[in-house]
Amino acid sequence: MTKKSRSELTEQLFGVVHRVNLENAERCEPVYTLAEMLALKKITALRKIGRLYRVTGFSRMDKQKIIPALIKRMTDRKTLTDLLFILERHEWEMYKTIVKKKQLTDDKINSVNLLFLIHLGIIGMYYHAGHFHYVIPVEIQESYKGIEESGFAAEKEHGDLLNDYAIAAANLYGVITQEDFVKLFNSQNERKIDIDEMFGVLIKYAAMGYGYCFWEEYIVNDDFEKNDYKDVEYITRARVSKPRYTPSKQEILKFLDWEYIERTPELEKLRAYVEQILSGDTEKTEEIIEEIYFLCKFEAKTQKFVDKFEKRGVLFEFEQLKVLLSLIFDLQNNTRLWVNNGHTPNELVKLEHKHLRPLPREPIKVVKVGRNEPCPCGSGKKYKRCCGQ
């Protein structure tokens, strides 16, 4: 099998994008009003939009009735604000690009990134004369102008930053109280928040599945949902009295990526050894290293690490296994753990030693007791019959 050139891969990618876009585009000349755009859709599609916008009685309406009802809901500023507020960054940037134009013609945009807006009728996509055209209906543009003038862009930026912190905190700590989250955010950002504001903003994002959720007084990684949040109690008990690891703003936002791996010296030593064992197979090495890192992160038992190699047909001599496990243990001790409030085991050991204080030294008094004298333990017996035996 020959390796494809960059140009061949690019052409193949554009082919996939083209096919996906065709599946979602209206095959006609672009239209520019909501009434025209909605009129192109079948009644089943209109009723789906009606359900999304919670139009009363949408299921019993025909086209003539449902289109005006949808236009009223879709141009409502509060409705539009709520929709735009929860857009992901790439969707938001694309929306801002299109809204400035009567239409945007671009064959390289992947409509999957805009499907949410297309299905809601906020953006129309048309395939005409061999090109894809994107249009934001004039009524939506007018509503957006009012929203923009009210300072929406700044509020959106603030909300996105709060959401970034929540995602990163859920990945780094697993569990964080809402109060601690607010303290963390306020310590690193000029604009301050309180718990009520934070909750009101983030509950909208959390509903969109960003990897975290609210549970009791906590913000938690949504992985805890699999076990009905029972492990939250285990985590909070295990980290009692352990200080929280608080990286810089730049560092904490690296944890926005669930698959983020800290490239520590211990990780690099392990990677070099594994690559040597695998005879220089870099791709397989990186695959295994990633799996080992996350096994460390979730405190897996030793056999789990060995299994990762055996499943790939990699067997070890005894001395090799000793070296491998030693390197894995070094990595474990330098991996950030949820039970350690984001600290590595080695960091906690250093912190504990730093805060330990020597006990006050008092002079030791040595008292000589005669064998026939009462035992100093208070038993009432003679020393020779008690502690002096």
Side-chain angles (χ1 to χ4, degrees):
M1 181 175 167
T2 58
K3 194 171 182 179
K4 293 185 178 180
S5 67
R6 183 183 294 272
S7 60
E8 288 174 323
L9 289 172
T10 301
E11 186 178 346
Q12 184 177 352
L13 176 62
F14 284 154
V16 172
V17 168
H18 185 83
R19 287 194 297 274
V20 171
N21 287 351
L22 277 177
E23 292 172 6
N24 294 286
E26 299 283 358
R27 301 199 184 194
C28 63
E29 291 186 44
V31 296
Y32 303 98
T33 69
L34 270 176
E36 291 173 311
M37 184 187 76
L38 294 173
L40 293 172
K41 299 183 181 297
K42 296 179 179 178
I43 187 62
T44 51
L46 293 173
R47 286 172 178 166
K48 284 180 181 178
I49 298 174
R51 182 185 298 109
L52 292 170
Y53 281 100
R54 298 178 182 176
V55 173
T56 304
F58 70 87
S59 61
R60 299 184 300 277
M61 292 181 179
D62 58 18
K63 264 190 152 184
Q64 288 184 332
K65 289 183 178 179
I66 200 170
I67 288 177
L70 284 174
I71 292 173
K72 184 178 179 181
R73 290 289 289 155
M74 294 166 73
T75 55
D76 177 72
R77 286 189 183 179
K78 186 180 183 310
T79 301
L80 184 58
T81 299
D82 289 342
L83 288 174
L84 296 178
F85 197 84
I86 57 177
L87 293 184
E88 293 188 27
R89 275 194 174 85
H90 63 273
E91 295 168 335
W92 171 234
E93 291 303 319
M94 188 58 61
Y95 181 87
K96 287 191 295 182
T97 299
I98 300 172
V99 79
K100 295 174 184 176
K101 305 172 181 292
K102 182 179 180 181
Q103 71 178 46
L104 175 67
T105 300
D106 195 321
D107 296 326
K108 297 177 183 177
I109 297 174
N110 186 351
S111 70
V112 170
N113 295 332
L114 298 173
L115 275 185
F116 178 63
L117 298 177
I118 292 169
H119 288 165
L120 284 169
I122 301 299
I123 293 179
M125 181 170 69
Y126 308 92
Y127 185 66
H128 177 67
H131 297 287
F132 290 97
H133 311 276
Y134 298 86
V135 174
I136 293 178
V138 291
E139 299 93 332
I140 301 290
Q141 290 193 20
E142 285 301 313
S143 291
Y144 176 71
K145 284 178 185 177
I147 293 170
E148 189 177 34
E149 289 168 2
S150 69
F152 172 77
E155 291 304 308
K156 168 72 173 162
E157 184 178 345
H158 175 63
D160 284 348
L161 182 60
L162 260 177
N163 186 45
D164 287 348
Y165 264 80
I167 296 168
N171 289 338
L172 174 57
Y173 304 120
V175 178
I176 186 171
T177 66
Q178 295 179 41
E179 183 179 358
D180 284 345
F181 176 80
V182 167
K183 287 178 182 176
L184 172 65
F185 183 86
N186 287 344
S187 71
Q188 298 183 342
N189 295 279
E190 186 176 344
R191 178 171 170 178
K192 311 304 179 188
I193 58 168
D194 58 27
I195 288 181
D196 289 339
E197 181 193 351
M198 176 275 298
F199 184 83
V201 172
L202 289 186
I203 195 66
K204 300 173 186 177
Y205 287 95
M208 297 300 293
Y210 278 96
Y212 67 88
C213 56
F214 288 91
W215 186 77
E216 295 188 351
E217 73 268 33
Y218 303 104
I219 296 173
V220 304
N221 190 292
D222 61 11
D223 268 3
F224 288 104
E225 189 177 1
K226 297 172 185 174
N227 196 25
D228 199 25
Y229 303 101
K230 292 176 183 175
D231 289 336
V232 174
E233 186 180 353
Y234 161 72
I235 295 289
T236 53
R237 278 202 318 266
R239 61 166 59 158
V240 168
S241 78
K242 295 176 181 177
R244 182 178 306 286
Y245 169 65
T246 307
S248 66
K249 181 175 181 176
Q250 182 181 6
E251 286 298 311
I252 197 170
L253 291 179
K254 289 180 180 178
F255 289 89
L256 268 170
D257 180 4
W258 166 247
E259 297 182 344
Y260 170 63
I261 295 176
E262 286 189 282
R263 294 287 170 176
T264 60
E266 293 76 19
L267 185 78
E268 292 308 314
K269 285 179 184 177
L270 177 61
R271 187 199 60 75
Y273 188 69
V274 170
E275 189 169 11
Q276 179 186 328
I277 291 172
L278 298 178
S279 303
D281 189 333
T282 304
E283 187 175 338
K284 187 181 286 188
T285 296
E286 288 302 323
E287 184 181 297
I288 292 178
I289 287 298
E290 183 176 327
E291 291 176 359
I292 288 176
Y293 177 84
F294 286 101
L295 286 176
C296 288
K297 188 177 176 72
F298 295 106
E299 305 168 278
K301 294 182 178 178
T302 303
Q303 187 58 46
K304 291 281 188 182
F305 296 101
V306 178
D307 289 346
K308 291 296 178 184
F309 289 92
E310 291 184 348
K311 285 179 181 177
R312 292 174 170 84
V314 182
L315 302 176
F316 301 97
E317 296 177 0
F318 180 70
E319 288 302 318
Q320 282 182 316
L321 187 59
K322 277 175 59 179
V323 174
L324 178 70
L325 292 179
S326 175
L327 291 170
I328 288 175
F329 294 150
D330 283 344
L331 176 60
Q332 281 182 312
N333 285 326
N334 288 278
T335 298
R336 305 201 174 282
L337 306 179
W338 287 358
V339 293
N340 285 348
N341 244 341
H343 279 292
T344 70
N346 278 353
E347 284 175 345
L348 274 188
V349 169
K350 290 177 183 177
L351 283 170
E352 287 172 1
H353 279 294
K354 180 180 177 182
H355 290 95
L356 284 176
R357 294 289 181 269
L359 294 173
R361 299 190 65 177
E362 297 179 359
I364 300 172
K365 297 179 181 179
V366 180
V367 180
K368 189 173 183 180
V369 182
R371 287 177 57 75
N372 289 314
E373 291 179 13
C375 187
C377 76
S379 67
K381 298 179 182 180
K382 290 183 179 182
Y383 180 62
K384 67 181 180 182
R385 300 291 185 192
C386 189
C387 295
Q389 284 186 332

